[in-house]
Amino acid sequence: MDAIRTEGLTKFYGQIRGIENVSLTVERGGMFGFIGPNGAGKSTFIRTLLGLVRPTAGRGEVCGLDIRRDRERVLARVGYLPAEPSFWPGMRVRDVLRLCARLRKKDCDREAERLCQRLELDPSRRADQLSLGNKKKTAIVCAMQHEPELLILDEPTSGLDPLMQRAFFDLLRERSERGTTVFLSSHILSEVRQNCTRAAVIRAGSIAACGPVEDLARAGARRVTVRGRVRLDGLAGVRDWRAAPDGAAFLYSGDMDALLAALAAGEVQDLAISEPDLEEAFMHYYGEGGGADDRFPA
């Protein structure tokens, strides 16, 4: 049984696209990255998985349960961290944590206390007076205290300082080693590179690529550095062109024979073709128009 499986999952808000024809499988266990620029459809996909919005078309399963028919059973087995958490006014952190536990009909006091200590979160603070970082910590504890089998985390580190980010990912690795599946949605490529073994890239509401993180990098563009005089006008696949007095550097994702033929027609004094770093490689998948329609947040 997979942790997440979707087939043609689609969500439109009227005429505005959220996600379209998303087919994705996330195996149980480990940490899976879900990468895309802001507005690409990451949050809409997550909200549709959890039944917070109804899909326009397609189907999906979470922990073997249908996202339409078994919504409450799905939510019982998932810990969800929204990108922008908010809490009821007048409550203290401990009240928020206990309310979330009671809604799940579980006693989470011991695990909540342990998580608060690890994240340096004061449970006596008023929830409506918390900084962004402490709001995020509170939401992390809410998502993790009942020890779910699947954690779905939407932009989890925004607002956390570097030390807290390290503590947070230490917690995730511990949970992952105990069998929890972690679905990490992020636009920060370094987070995915350092913590995930597999990932999917979402662009303009659709999956652009999916596989092992390093394979995705290798399947992208190549970094080309050329010294000399060359003309590559009209050559498909040239991106991120950076001219220099004695040549140029660029990313290339087109046909290699076509590139070499174009270079041979010029005056090449030196040539280097190498693997780009991960950030450069993933920019190949984003391309032009990679975000969602600006009129609706996705």
Side-chain angles (χ1 to χ4, degrees), residues 107-169:
D107 180 0
C108 303
D109 285 351
R110 180 175 297 180
E111 183 63 12
E113 181 181 0
R114 188 183 76 85
L115 291 169
C116 286
Q117 290 175 351
R118 291 282 297 272
L119 295 173
E120 300 180 9
L121 175 64
D122 181 357
S124 69
R125 296 281 302 279
R126 286 176 57 95
D128 54 2
Q129 296 178 355
L130 295 176
S131 64
L132 174 60
N134 281 318
K135 285 182 180 178
K136 188 58 68 78
K137 293 179 191 179
T138 302
I140 290 169
V141 178
C142 287
M144 299 181 70
Q145 65 177 349
H146 62 292
E147 301 185 88
E149 60 186 272
L150 170 63
L151 279 168
I152 296 181
L153 311 170
D154 192 1
E155 303 289 355
T157 59
S158 62
L160 298 181
D161 65 47
L163 289 178
M164 282 299 104
Q165 289 182 27
R166 179 180 300 179
F168 170 65
F169 280 111

Short mmCIF file of all heavy atoms in Angstrom, two decimals, residues 107-169:
data_model
loop_
_atom_site.label_atom_id
_atom_site.label_comp_id
_atom_site.label_asym_id
_atom_site.label_seq_id
_atom_site.Cartn_x
_atom_site.Cartn_y
_atom_site.Cartn_z
N ASP A 107 -4.57 10.84 23.85
CA ASP A 107 -3.81 11.51 24.90
C ASP A 107 -2.40 11.74 24.37
O ASP A 107 -1.61 10.80 24.24
CB ASP A 107 -3.78 10.64 26.17
CG ASP A 107 -2.98 11.29 27.30
OD1 ASP A 107 -2.46 12.41 27.10
OD2 ASP A 107 -2.87 10.67 28.38
N CYS A 108 -2.09 12.98 24.06
CA CYS A 108 -0.81 13.33 23.44
C CYS A 108 0.07 14.16 24.36
O CYS A 108 1.07 14.72 23.91
CB CYS A 108 -1.05 14.08 22.13
SG CYS A 108 -2.04 13.22 20.91
N ASP A 109 -0.30 14.26 25.64
CA ASP A 109 0.40 15.17 26.54
C ASP A 109 1.90 14.90 26.61
O ASP A 109 2.73 15.82 26.54
CB ASP A 109 -0.19 15.10 27.96
CG ASP A 109 -1.53 15.82 28.05
OD1 ASP A 109 -1.91 16.49 27.08
OD2 ASP A 109 -2.19 15.68 29.10
N ARG A 110 2.27 13.63 26.73
CA ARG A 110 3.70 13.30 26.89
C ARG A 110 4.49 13.65 25.63
O ARG A 110 5.56 14.26 25.70
CB ARG A 110 3.85 11.82 27.23
CG ARG A 110 5.31 11.40 27.41
CD ARG A 110 5.42 9.95 27.85
NE ARG A 110 4.80 9.77 29.18
CZ ARG A 110 4.75 8.60 29.79
NH1 ARG A 110 5.25 7.51 29.22
NH2 ARG A 110 4.19 8.50 30.98
N GLU A 111 3.96 13.27 24.47
CA GLU A 111 4.67 13.56 23.23
C GLU A 111 4.68 15.06 22.94
O GLU A 111 5.68 15.61 22.45
CB GLU A 111 4.03 12.81 22.06
CG GLU A 111 4.75 12.97 20.72
CD GLU A 111 6.17 12.42 20.73
OE1 GLU A 111 6.55 11.71 21.68
OE2 GLU A 111 6.91 12.71 19.76
N ALA A 112 3.59 15.76 23.26
CA ALA A 112 3.55 17.21 23.06
C ALA A 112 4.61 17.89 23.91
O ALA A 112 5.30 18.81 23.45
CB ALA A 112 2.16 17.74 23.39
N GLU A 113 4.75 17.46 25.16
CA GLU A 113 5.77 18.05 26.04
C GLU A 113 7.17 17.80 25.49
O GLU A 113 8.02 18.70 25.49
CB GLU A 113 5.64 17.45 27.44
CG GLU A 113 6.65 18.03 28.43
CD GLU A 113 6.52 17.41 29.82
OE1 GLU A 113 5.65 16.53 30.02
OE2 GLU A 113 7.29 17.81 30.71
N ARG A 114 7.42 16.60 25.00
CA ARG A 114 8.73 16.28 24.45
C ARG A 114 9.03 17.15 23.22
O ARG A 114 10.13 17.69 23.06
CB ARG A 114 8.79 14.81 24.06
CG ARG A 114 10.18 14.33 23.65
CD ARG A 114 10.14 12.88 23.21
NE ARG A 114 9.57 12.75 21.88
CZ ARG A 114 10.27 12.90 20.74
NH1 ARG A 114 11.58 13.15 20.80
NH2 ARG A 114 9.70 12.77 19.58
N LEU A 115 8.05 17.31 22.35
CA LEU A 115 8.24 18.12 21.15
C LEU A 115 8.45 19.59 21.49
O LEU A 115 9.29 20.27 20.88
CB LEU A 115 7.05 17.95 20.21
CG LEU A 115 6.91 16.58 19.55
CD1 LEU A 115 5.54 16.45 18.87
CD2 LEU A 115 8.02 16.33 18.54
N CYS A 116 7.72 20.09 22.45
CA CYS A 116 7.89 21.49 22.88
C CYS A 116 9.30 21.73 23.40
O CYS A 116 9.93 22.76 23.12
CB CYS A 116 6.86 21.87 23.94
SG CYS A 116 5.18 22.10 23.31
N GLN A 117 9.82 20.76 24.15
CA GLN A 117 11.19 20.90 24.66
C GLN A 117 12.20 20.89 23.53
O GLN A 117 13.13 21.71 23.51
CB GLN A 117 11.48 19.77 25.65
CG GLN A 117 10.72 19.88 26.97
CD GLN A 117 10.95 18.69 27.88
OE1 GLN A 117 11.56 17.68 27.48
NE2 GLN A 117 10.47 18.79 29.10
N ARG A 118 12.02 20.00 22.56
CA ARG A 118 12.95 19.91 21.44
C ARG A 118 12.94 21.19 20.60
O ARG A 118 13.99 21.61 20.07
CB ARG A 118 12.61 18.70 20.56
CG ARG A 118 12.85 17.35 21.20
CD ARG A 118 14.31 16.96 21.18
NE ARG A 118 14.86 16.81 19.85
CZ ARG A 118 14.83 15.67 19.14
NH1 ARG A 118 14.27 14.58 19.67
NH2 ARG A 118 15.37 15.61 17.94
N LEU A 119 11.79 21.80 20.47
CA LEU A 119 11.65 22.99 19.63
C LEU A 119 11.72 24.29 20.42
O LEU A 119 11.54 25.37 19.85
CB LEU A 119 10.32 22.93 18.87
CG LEU A 119 10.19 21.79 17.85
CD1 LEU A 119 8.78 21.72 17.30
CD2 LEU A 119 11.20 21.94 16.71
N GLU A 120 11.98 24.18 21.73
CA GLU A 120 12.08 25.35 22.60
C GLU A 120 10.82 26.22 22.50
O GLU A 120 10.88 27.44 22.33
CB GLU A 120 13.34 26.16 22.25
CG GLU A 120 14.63 25.36 22.42
CD GLU A 120 15.87 26.17 22.06
OE1 GLU A 120 15.75 27.40 21.85
OE2 GLU A 120 16.97 25.58 21.99
N LEU A 121 9.67 25.57 22.62
CA LEU A 121 8.38 26.23 22.54
C LEU A 121 7.77 26.30 23.94
O LEU A 121 7.61 25.27 24.60
CB LEU A 121 7.46 25.47 21.59
CG LEU A 121 6.02 25.96 21.49
CD1 LEU A 121 5.97 27.38 20.92
CD2 LEU A 121 5.19 25.00 20.63
N ASP A 122 7.42 27.48 24.38
CA ASP A 122 6.81 27.68 25.69
C ASP A 122 5.30 27.47 25.59
O ASP A 122 4.60 28.28 24.98
CB ASP A 122 7.10 29.11 26.18
CG ASP A 122 6.53 29.39 27.56
OD1 ASP A 122 5.85 28.50 28.13
OD2 ASP A 122 6.75 30.50 28.06
N PRO A 123 4.76 26.39 26.18
CA PRO A 123 3.32 26.11 26.03
C PRO A 123 2.42 27.06 26.80
O PRO A 123 1.19 27.03 26.60
CB PRO A 123 3.19 24.68 26.56
CG PRO A 123 4.34 24.50 27.48
CD PRO A 123 5.46 25.32 26.92
N SER A 124 3.00 27.90 27.65
CA SER A 124 2.17 28.84 28.40
C SER A 124 1.90 30.14 27.64
O SER A 124 1.08 30.95 28.08
CB SER A 124 2.82 29.16 29.74
OG SER A 124 4.01 29.92 29.55
N ARG A 125 2.54 30.33 26.49
CA ARG A 125 2.37 31.56 25.72
C ARG A 125 0.98 31.62 25.09
O ARG A 125 0.41 30.60 24.70
CB ARG A 125 3.42 31.64 24.60
CG ARG A 125 4.85 31.75 25.09
CD ARG A 125 5.18 33.14 25.52
NE ARG A 125 4.96 34.11 24.45
CZ ARG A 125 5.83 34.35 23.47
NH1 ARG A 125 6.99 33.68 23.42
NH2 ARG A 125 5.58 35.25 22.56
N ARG A 126 0.46 32.83 24.95
CA ARG A 126 -0.81 33.03 24.25
C ARG A 126 -0.60 32.82 22.75
O ARG A 126 0.31 33.41 22.15
CB ARG A 126 -1.36 34.42 24.52
CG ARG A 126 -1.93 34.62 25.92
CD ARG A 126 -2.37 36.05 26.13
NE ARG A 126 -3.36 36.48 25.14
CZ ARG A 126 -4.68 36.42 25.33
NH1 ARG A 126 -5.16 35.95 26.47
NH2 ARG A 126 -5.52 36.83 24.39
N ALA A 127 -1.45 32.01 22.15
CA ALA A 127 -1.28 31.65 20.75
C ALA A 127 -1.43 32.85 19.83
O ALA A 127 -0.78 32.92 18.78
CB ALA A 127 -2.27 30.56 20.36
N ASP A 128 -2.29 33.81 20.21
CA ASP A 128 -2.50 34.95 19.32
C ASP A 128 -1.43 36.03 19.48
O ASP A 128 -1.49 37.06 18.82
CB ASP A 128 -3.90 35.55 19.54
CG ASP A 128 -4.17 35.91 20.99
OD1 ASP A 128 -3.26 35.74 21.83
OD2 ASP A 128 -5.29 36.34 21.29
N GLN A 129 -0.44 35.79 20.33
CA GLN A 129 0.66 36.74 20.49
C GLN A 129 2.01 36.15 20.06
O GLN A 129 3.06 36.73 20.31
CB GLN A 129 0.75 37.19 21.96
CG GLN A 129 -0.48 37.96 22.43
CD GLN A 129 -0.41 38.36 23.89
OE1 GLN A 129 0.53 37.99 24.60
NE2 GLN A 129 -1.39 39.13 24.35
N LEU A 130 1.96 35.02 19.40
CA LEU A 130 3.19 34.34 19.00
C LEU A 130 3.81 34.99 17.77
O LEU A 130 3.11 35.50 16.89
CB LEU A 130 2.90 32.87 18.69
CG LEU A 130 2.42 31.98 19.84
CD1 LEU A 130 2.10 30.60 19.32
CD2 LEU A 130 3.47 31.91 20.95
N SER A 131 5.13 34.92 17.70
CA SER A 131 5.84 35.31 16.49
C SER A 131 5.56 34.27 15.40
O SER A 131 5.03 33.18 15.68
CB SER A 131 7.34 35.37 16.75
OG SER A 131 7.84 34.07 17.07
N LEU A 132 5.92 34.59 14.16
CA LEU A 132 5.73 33.63 13.06
C LEU A 132 6.44 32.32 13.35
O LEU A 132 5.88 31.23 13.13
CB LEU A 132 6.24 34.23 11.75
CG LEU A 132 6.23 33.29 10.54
CD1 LEU A 132 4.82 32.80 10.25
CD2 LEU A 132 6.82 34.00 9.32
N GLY A 133 7.68 32.41 13.86
CA GLY A 133 8.43 31.19 14.15
C GLY A 133 7.75 30.33 15.20
O GLY A 133 7.68 29.11 15.07
N ASN A 134 7.24 30.94 16.27
CA ASN A 134 6.58 30.17 17.32
C ASN A 134 5.21 29.65 16.87
O ASN A 134 4.77 28.59 17.33
CB ASN A 134 6.45 31.01 18.59
CG ASN A 134 7.75 31.06 19.37
OD1 ASN A 134 8.45 30.07 19.51
ND2 ASN A 134 8.10 32.25 19.85
N LYS A 135 4.54 30.38 15.98
CA LYS A 135 3.33 29.83 15.39
C LYS A 135 3.63 28.56 14.61
O LYS A 135 2.90 27.57 14.68
CB LYS A 135 2.67 30.87 14.47
CG LYS A 135 1.96 31.99 15.17
CD LYS A 135 1.31 32.92 14.17
CE LYS A 135 0.56 34.06 14.88
NZ LYS A 135 -0.04 35.00 13.89
N LYS A 136 4.73 28.61 13.85
CA LYS A 136 5.10 27.44 13.06
C LYS A 136 5.48 26.28 13.98
O LYS A 136 5.11 25.13 13.72
CB LYS A 136 6.25 27.80 12.12
CG LYS A 136 6.59 26.72 11.10
CD LYS A 136 5.41 26.33 10.23
CE LYS A 136 4.98 27.40 9.29
NZ LYS A 136 5.78 27.58 8.10
N LYS A 137 6.19 26.56 15.08
CA LYS A 137 6.52 25.49 16.03
C LYS A 137 5.26 24.86 16.62
O LYS A 137 5.17 23.63 16.76
CB LYS A 137 7.38 26.04 17.16
CG LYS A 137 8.77 26.49 16.77
CD LYS A 137 9.49 27.05 18.01
CE LYS A 137 10.77 27.75 17.69
NZ LYS A 137 11.42 28.29 18.91
N THR A 138 4.28 25.70 16.97
CA THR A 138 3.03 25.19 17.53
C THR A 138 2.33 24.28 16.52
O THR A 138 1.83 23.20 16.87
CB THR A 138 2.10 26.36 17.92
OG1 THR A 138 2.77 27.20 18.86
CG2 THR A 138 0.81 25.85 18.54
N ALA A 139 2.31 24.70 15.27
CA ALA A 139 1.68 23.90 14.22
C ALA A 139 2.44 22.59 14.00
O ALA A 139 1.83 21.55 13.72
CB ALA A 139 1.60 24.69 12.93
N ILE A 140 3.76 22.62 14.14
CA ILE A 140 4.56 21.40 14.01
C ILE A 140 4.18 20.40 15.10
O ILE A 140 3.99 19.21 14.83
CB ILE A 140 6.06 21.72 14.06
CG1 ILE A 140 6.50 22.48 12.79
CG2 ILE A 140 6.89 20.46 14.24
CD1 ILE A 140 7.89 23.05 12.87
N VAL A 141 4.06 20.88 16.33
CA VAL A 141 3.69 19.99 17.43
C VAL A 141 2.29 19.44 17.20
O VAL A 141 2.03 18.24 17.42
CB VAL A 141 3.79 20.71 18.78
CG1 VAL A 141 3.35 19.77 19.91
CG2 VAL A 141 5.21 21.19 19.03
N CYS A 142 1.35 20.28 16.76
CA CYS A 142 -0.01 19.80 16.46
C CYS A 142 0.03 18.68 15.41
O CYS A 142 -0.73 17.71 15.52
CB CYS A 142 -0.87 20.95 15.95
SG CYS A 142 -1.38 22.15 17.20
N ALA A 143 0.88 18.83 14.42
CA ALA A 143 0.94 17.85 13.34
C ALA A 143 1.61 16.54 13.77
O ALA A 143 1.27 15.47 13.25
CB ALA A 143 1.70 18.44 12.15
N MET A 144 2.54 16.61 14.74
CA MET A 144 3.36 15.44 15.06
C MET A 144 2.99 14.76 16.36
O MET A 144 3.36 13.59 16.57
CB MET A 144 4.84 15.85 15.11
CG MET A 144 5.38 16.40 13.81
SD MET A 144 7.14 16.86 13.88
CE MET A 144 7.91 15.25 14.01
N GLN A 145 2.25 15.42 17.26
CA GLN A 145 2.08 14.89 18.62
C GLN A 145 1.29 13.58 18.66
O GLN A 145 1.48 12.77 19.57
CB GLN A 145 1.39 15.93 19.51
CG GLN A 145 -0.03 16.27 19.10
CD GLN A 145 -0.71 17.25 20.05
OE1 GLN A 145 -0.19 17.53 21.13
NE2 GLN A 145 -1.86 17.76 19.65
N HIS A 146 0.42 13.33 17.69
CA HIS A 146 -0.35 12.08 17.70
C HIS A 146 0.37 10.96 16.93
O HIS A 146 -0.19 9.89 16.73
CB HIS A 146 -1.74 12.31 17.11
CG HIS A 146 -1.76 12.77 15.68
ND1 HIS A 146 -1.30 14.01 15.30
CD2 HIS A 146 -2.17 12.16 14.55
CE1 HIS A 146 -1.44 14.14 13.98
NE2 HIS A 146 -1.95 13.02 13.50
N GLU A 147 1.61 11.22 16.51
CA GLU A 147 2.47 10.22 15.86
C GLU A 147 1.78 9.56 14.67
O GLU A 147 1.58 8.35 14.63
CB GLU A 147 2.94 9.19 16.89
CG GLU A 147 3.71 9.80 18.05
CD GLU A 147 4.29 8.79 19.01
OE1 GLU A 147 5.42 8.33 18.77
OE2 GLU A 147 3.61 8.46 20.00
N PRO A 148 1.43 10.37 13.66
CA PRO A 148 0.73 9.84 12.49
C PRO A 148 1.64 8.99 11.62
O PRO A 148 2.87 9.09 11.70
CB PRO A 148 0.29 11.11 11.75
CG PRO A 148 1.35 12.10 12.11
CD PRO A 148 1.71 11.81 13.53
N GLU A 149 1.03 8.19 10.76
CA GLU A 149 1.83 7.36 9.85
C GLU A 149 2.29 8.15 8.62
O GLU A 149 3.21 7.73 7.92
CB GLU A 149 1.05 6.13 9.42
CG GLU A 149 -0.24 6.39 8.69
CD GLU A 149 -1.00 5.10 8.44
OE1 GLU A 149 -0.75 4.46 7.40
OE2 GLU A 149 -1.84 4.72 9.28
N LEU A 150 1.63 9.28 8.34
CA LEU A 150 2.01 10.13 7.22
C LEU A 150 2.02 11.59 7.67
O LEU A 150 1.03 12.07 8.23
CB LEU A 150 1.03 9.95 6.05
CG LEU A 150 1.15 10.94 4.88
CD1 LEU A 150 2.51 10.81 4.19
CD2 LEU A 150 0.01 10.71 3.88
N LEU A 151 3.13 12.27 7.45
CA LEU A 151 3.24 13.71 7.72
C LEU A 151 3.23 14.45 6.39
O LEU A 151 4.05 14.18 5.51
CB LEU A 151 4.54 14.02 8.47
CG LEU A 151 4.55 13.79 9.97
CD1 LEU A 151 5.97 13.88 10.51
CD2 LEU A 151 3.66 14.82 10.67
N ILE A 152 2.30 15.39 6.24
CA ILE A 152 2.23 16.23 5.05
C ILE A 152 2.56 17.65 5.49
O ILE A 152 1.82 18.27 6.25
CB ILE A 152 0.85 16.15 4.39
CG1 ILE A 152 0.60 14.72 3.88
CG2 ILE A 152 0.75 17.15 3.24
CD1 ILE A 152 -0.75 14.54 3.19
N LEU A 153 3.68 18.16 5.01
CA LEU A 153 4.23 19.42 5.50
C LEU A 153 4.33 20.41 4.35
O LEU A 153 5.04 20.18 3.37
CB LEU A 153 5.62 19.18 6.09
CG LEU A 153 5.71 18.00 7.09
CD1 LEU A 153 7.16 17.71 7.43
CD2 LEU A 153 4.91 18.33 8.34
N ASP A 154 3.62 21.52 4.46
CA ASP A 154 3.56 22.52 3.40
C ASP A 154 4.43 23.72 3.79
O ASP A 154 4.08 24.47 4.70
CB ASP A 154 2.10 22.94 3.19
CG ASP A 154 1.90 23.75 1.91
OD1 ASP A 154 2.89 23.96 1.19
OD2 ASP A 154 0.76 24.15 1.64
N GLU A 155 5.55 23.88 3.11
CA GLU A 155 6.51 24.96 3.39
C GLU A 155 6.79 25.03 4.90
O GLU A 155 6.56 26.05 5.55
CB GLU A 155 5.96 26.30 2.89
CG GLU A 155 5.61 26.33 1.42
CD GLU A 155 6.83 26.32 0.50
OE1 GLU A 155 7.95 26.39 1.02
OE2 GLU A 155 6.65 26.25 -0.72
N PRO A 156 7.33 23.96 5.48
CA PRO A 156 7.39 23.87 6.95
C PRO A 156 8.39 24.79 7.63
O PRO A 156 8.23 25.09 8.81
CB PRO A 156 7.75 22.41 7.19
CG PRO A 156 8.51 22.01 5.96
CD PRO A 156 7.85 22.74 4.83
N THR A 157 9.42 25.23 6.94
CA THR A 157 10.49 25.95 7.65
C THR A 157 10.40 27.46 7.55
O THR A 157 11.24 28.15 8.14
CB THR A 157 11.87 25.51 7.11
OG1 THR A 157 11.94 25.79 5.70
CG2 THR A 157 12.10 24.04 7.35
N SER A 158 9.42 27.99 6.85
CA SER A 158 9.29 29.45 6.80
C SER A 158 9.03 29.98 8.20
O SER A 158 8.17 29.52 8.92
CB SER A 158 8.14 29.85 5.86
OG SER A 158 6.91 29.34 6.34
N GLY A 159 9.83 30.95 8.59
CA GLY A 159 9.70 31.52 9.93
C GLY A 159 10.61 30.91 10.97
O GLY A 159 10.76 31.47 12.05
N LEU A 160 11.22 29.76 10.67
CA LEU A 160 12.13 29.12 11.63
C LEU A 160 13.55 29.60 11.38
O LEU A 160 14.00 29.67 10.24
CB LEU A 160 12.09 27.59 11.49
CG LEU A 160 10.76 26.89 11.77
CD1 LEU A 160 10.93 25.39 11.61
CD2 LEU A 160 10.24 27.22 13.17
N ASP A 161 14.27 29.89 12.47
CA ASP A 161 15.67 30.26 12.31
C ASP A 161 16.50 29.01 11.99
O ASP A 161 16.01 27.89 12.13
CB ASP A 161 16.19 30.99 13.55
CG ASP A 161 16.21 30.12 14.80
OD1 ASP A 161 16.68 28.97 14.73
OD2 ASP A 161 15.73 30.59 15.85
N PRO A 162 17.73 29.18 11.54
CA PRO A 162 18.53 28.02 11.12
C PRO A 162 18.68 26.94 12.18
O PRO A 162 18.66 25.74 11.86
CB PRO A 162 19.88 28.63 10.75
CG PRO A 162 19.54 30.02 10.33
CD PRO A 162 18.42 30.45 11.22
N LEU A 163 18.84 27.31 13.45
CA LEU A 163 18.97 26.30 14.51
C LEU A 163 17.68 25.49 14.67
O LEU A 163 17.72 24.27 14.85
CB LEU A 163 19.35 26.97 15.83
CG LEU A 163 20.77 27.52 15.92
CD1 LEU A 163 20.98 28.21 17.26
CD2 LEU A 163 21.80 26.41 15.72
N MET A 164 16.54 26.17 14.59
CA MET A 164 15.27 25.48 14.70
C MET A 164 15.00 24.61 13.47
O MET A 164 14.39 23.54 13.56
CB MET A 164 14.13 26.47 14.91
CG MET A 164 14.01 26.99 16.32
SD MET A 164 13.69 25.65 17.53
CE MET A 164 15.34 25.49 18.28
N GLN A 165 15.45 25.07 12.32
CA GLN A 165 15.31 24.24 11.12
C GLN A 165 16.07 22.93 11.30
O GLN A 165 15.59 21.86 10.94
CB GLN A 165 15.82 25.00 9.90
CG GLN A 165 14.94 26.15 9.47
CD GLN A 165 15.45 26.86 8.23
OE1 GLN A 165 16.14 26.26 7.40
NE2 GLN A 165 15.13 28.13 8.08
N ARG A 166 17.28 23.02 11.86
CA ARG A 166 18.07 21.82 12.09
C ARG A 166 17.36 20.89 13.07
O ARG A 166 17.28 19.67 12.85
CB ARG A 166 19.46 22.19 12.61
CG ARG A 166 20.35 20.99 12.90
CD ARG A 166 21.70 21.42 13.42
NE ARG A 166 22.42 22.26 12.47
CZ ARG A 166 23.62 22.78 12.70
NH1 ARG A 166 24.22 22.55 13.88
NH2 ARG A 166 24.21 23.52 11.80
N ALA A 167 16.83 21.45 14.16
CA ALA A 167 16.11 20.63 15.15
C ALA A 167 14.88 19.99 14.52
O ALA A 167 14.56 18.83 14.80
CB ALA A 167 15.71 21.49 16.35
N PHE A 168 14.19 20.73 13.68
CA PHE A 168 12.99 20.22 13.01
C PHE A 168 13.33 19.04 12.11
O PHE A 168 12.67 17.99 12.15
CB PHE A 168 12.35 21.35 12.22
CG PHE A 168 11.24 20.92 11.31
CD1 PHE A 168 10.07 20.38 11.81
CD2 PHE A 168 11.37 21.06 9.94
CE1 PHE A 168 9.05 19.98 10.97
CE2 PHE A 168 10.36 20.67 9.08
CZ PHE A 168 9.20 20.13 9.60
N PHE A 169 14.36 19.18 11.29
CA PHE A 169 14.71 18.08 10.39
C PHE A 169 15.29 16.89 11.15
O PHE A 169 15.14 15.74 10.72
CB PHE A 169 15.67 18.56 9.30
CG PHE A 169 14.97 19.28 8.19
CD1 PHE A 169 15.14 20.64 8.00
CD2 PHE A 169 14.11 18.60 7.34
CE1 PHE A 169 14.47 21.31 6.98
CE2 PHE A 169 13.44 19.25 6.32
CZ PHE A 169 13.61 20.60 6.14
#
